Amino acid sequence: MAANRIRVAKDKAELVKSLVASKDTTGPFQTYVEIMVFAAALGVKYKKRVPLGETTKREPSPIPQENFASLGYDLIIKLLGINETQDINIVSSREEQDEDKRTQIFEEYANGGLEILQNELRGAVDYSERLLLILSYEKFQESSAELEFDLRKFI
């Protein structure tokens, strides 16, 4: 496994390419790194961790982890590693197996998040608008849950 690169599942490659802003897409993200971090966060929120299976070799090619570090997102990879393994040593370890494990955890959560996005964005013309609707719905769900009257506190 290429521990220093984040791979994309082959069946999600077209989605990932379409999520990057370009003259041909309505993609809301500027980089593949941003897409993968958003997807991983989505995967974690919904506890959806999906093995990659076959991965793309190019477009999008495996993303160097230095790209994540330069944008300050390398911490997310490390935090997911700690959270999943319950072992804080996975962060500082330079052992190849620990680096591979951190990478695998991040890739699988990102793949799970991409799977969710694939379903949510199916048929959408403007991905930015659809993502905004999804995020707005999530925010509304959380705030309405706080406002609900809960009889359990009286039991």
Side-chain angles (χ1 to χ4, degrees):
M1 185 184 299
N4 59 348
R5 294 184 176 271
I6 300 296
R7 299 164 305 154
V8 176
K10 194 171 193 168
D11 64 337
K12 312 291 185 322
E14 288 304 314
L15 171 66
V16 170
K17 287 191 287 189
S18 70
L19 286 168
V20 173
S22 73
K23 62 179 174 38
D24 302 324
T25 69
T26 59
F29 297 98
Q30 298 301 309
T31 66
Y32 290 138
V33 169
E34 291 170 349
I35 294 167
M36 297 303 283
V37 169
F38 182 82
L42 202 58
V44 169
K45 176 167 179 31
Y46 291 102
K47 297 174 176 50
K48 189 165 183 83
R49 188 174 163 189
V50 179
L52 292 182
E54 193 176 350
T55 59
T56 62
K57 302 292 183 259
R58 50 192 147 104
E59 255 339 279
S61 57
I63 309 161
Q65 284 196 30
E66 297 85 61
N67 296 9
F68 287 81
S70 69
L71 294 170
Y73 293 129
D74 55 325
L75 288 176
I76 292 171
I77 297 170
K78 292 175 180 175
L79 287 172
L80 281 178
I82 293 171
N83 191 49
E84 280 299 295
T85 63
Q86 298 297 304
D87 179 8
I88 196 157
N89 295 321
I90 195 168
V91 173
S92 58
S93 173
R94 292 272 180 233
E95 295 290 322
E96 191 173 327
Q97 69 189 37
D98 287 334
E99 288 181 4
D100 286 351
K101 187 69 178 163
R102 286 192 308 254
T103 300
Q104 179 187 5
I105 291 166
F106 179 83
E107 287 174 337
E108 289 179 355
Y109 273 120
N111 195 37
L114 288 170
E115 206 168 269
I116 292 167
L117 285 174
Q118 213 167 33
N119 292 329
E120 292 291 333
L121 298 175
R122 189 169 285 129
V125 176
D126 185 338
Y127 285 174
S128 296
E129 185 178 298
R130 181 70 62 93
L131 278 174
L132 192 57
L133 285 171
I134 294 166
L135 294 172
S136 295
Y137 175 77
E138 286 298 323
K139 184 173 174 30
F140 177 74
Q141 289 295 96
E142 287 174 16
S143 61
S144 69
E146 292 169 13
L147 297 175
E148 274 181 29
F149 186 71
D150 188 359
L151 286 174
R152 290 178 295 187
K153 63 183 166 189
F154 295 108
I155 297 175

